[in-house]
Amino acid sequence: MTDKKIALVTGAAGGIGTEVCRLFVNNGYKVLATHRPGKEQQAANWLQEEGLAGQDIKLLALDVADHDATAEVLADTLREMGHIDVLVNNAGITRDATFKRMSWEQWKEVMDTNLNSLFSVSQPIFNQMCEQGGGRIINISSVNGLKGQFGQANYSAAKAGMIGFTKALAAEGARFGVTVNAVAPGYTATPMVTAIREDVLDSIKATIPLKRLATTEEVAGAVLYLAGEYGGYVTGETLSVNGGLYMQ
Ligand code: CAA
């Protein structure tokens, strides 16, 4: 058991996830960093490469797209840790294709990982937060859930769904002291974005008023704010960090 606040971050080894873990550890949280089952060695390497080994961070194998397995792993984790104070639903994938060509698998994989996971991961933790009388849930959505993106009917639908979920859960969590918010990053310097075809990425950058990608620190800073003392009165909100790409 620890007196520290415990933050569980899904998809921790991704570009944004890594920075969120780093910022939380540096700000006094104990971090539970999830990775896909079977990727234990990669996860251990990730800790080393990112200079996180030896910090207060524990790896947790969790396939967020597998409902039954997630229920089991989180029940064990809650028993072992006693409490989780911050949940960052960050795990997400892209399977970009124009809708005409999109396969059912491309649609379903994105829905399972990006949206259905919110049910499986959040429910046990939300219930425990309500019982303990407080907690913070932060969902990593996307500018593309707000504005819609060519080639991302699946991803835009899932990321928009996260925002509806955020508002509904914020309404339910308020009387228990649980806040629920979303961060909607724009195009961020992560492997997911740098994998976009160069000509396509150049044309996207040209449309961003700040004319550059976000840094992972700029996105993680928004998450830290919502998790911390100064974010206490914010709930049901979507905080855009998008360089002006989409102004609501
Ligand atoms: N608006 C309108 N038309 C567009 C368009 C746009 N934004 N982008 C492309 N088109 C047009 C093209 O000009 C082309 O027209 P013609 O056939 O007349 O030449 C047609 O649509 C087909 O375009 P592509 O050549 O790009 O088609 P493709 O099948 O080779 O590739 C794609 C499709 C994989 C979806 C590709 O367009 C792509 O990668 N797009 C970027 C998708 C994107 O932004 N993904 C974000 C990933 S990062 C992320 O998701 C993180 C986050 O949260 C921000």
Side-chain angles (χ1 to χ4, degrees):
M1 296 280 178
T2 173
D3 290 340
K4 285 184 172 182
K5 291 218 155 137
I6 302 178
L8 186 143
V9 182
T10 66
I16 291 174
T18 298
E19 216 47 58
V20 170
C21 291
R22 195 192 318 283
L23 218 52
F24 273 50
V25 162
N26 289 346
N27 282 274
Y29 291 81
K30 178 180 183 69
V31 172
L32 302 177
T34 82
H35 61 83
R36 286 192 198 156
K39 304 269 181 191
E40 283 68 18
Q41 191 54 53
Q42 286 98 318
N45 294 345
W46 166 74
L47 280 183
Q48 289 291 344
E49 285 157 15
E50 296 296 335
L52 291 167
Q55 307 268 26
D56 202 354
I57 180 163
K58 185 173 153 44
L59 295 173
L60 189 64
L62 184 71
D63 178 356
V64 300
D66 181 337
H67 174 72
D68 292 342
T70 296
E72 216 171 288
V73 170
L74 290 180
D76 288 348
T77 305
L78 284 165
R79 243 191 318 273
E80 187 191 336
M81 308 309 300
H83 57 104
I84 291 173
D85 306 285
V86 180
L87 166 63
V88 185
N89 281 310
N90 168 69
I93 58 170
T94 53
R95 296 288 182 268
D96 294 355
T98 55
F99 189 61
K100 272 180 162 179
R101 290 200 193 147
M102 186 176 287
S103 66
W104 169 242
E105 285 68 34
Q106 286 174 314
W107 174 270
K108 194 169 169 336
E109 279 180 55
V110 167
M111 286 300 158
D112 284 345
T113 299
N114 297 13
L115 187 60
N116 292 336
S117 65
L118 290 194
F119 180 88
S120 309
V121 177
S122 306
Q123 196 180 52
I125 296 175
F126 177 74
N127 288 348
Q128 173 265 319
M129 286 174 170
C130 291
E131 270 168 37
Q132 79 180 7
R136 305 284 169 89
I137 297 181
I138 298 136
N139 301 316
I140 306 301
S141 179
S142 165
V143 64
N144 292 343
L146 292 167
K147 75 170 188 56
Q149 170 61 33
F150 183 100
Q152 286 197 309
N154 49 2
Y155 186 88
S156 296
K159 293 295 183 179
M162 292 179 88
I163 291 172
F165 172 79
T166 297
K167 293 179 183 176
L169 204 62
E172 292 189 21
R175 67 200 164 107
F176 300 103
V178 179
T179 68
V180 187
N181 291 288
V183 170
Y187 286 77
T188 308
T190 65
M192 182 189 275
V193 168
T194 47
I196 299 173
R197 227 172 56 205
E198 200 180 345
D199 58 319
V200 175
L201 187 55
D202 284 346
S203 67
I204 290 170
K205 271 194 222 160
T207 65
I208 302 172
L210 288 182
K211 298 289 176 219
R212 65 171 176 88
L213 301 179
T215 66
T216 51
E217 289 85 348
E218 287 165 333
V219 177
V223 177
L224 186 72
Y225 159 69
L226 291 169
E229 190 189 340
Y230 297 122
Y233 200 59
V234 181
T235 196
E237 193 51 62
T238 298
L239 177 47
S240 283
V241 184
N242 68 24
L245 178 57
Y246 185 70
M247 302 180 194
Q248 289 186 83

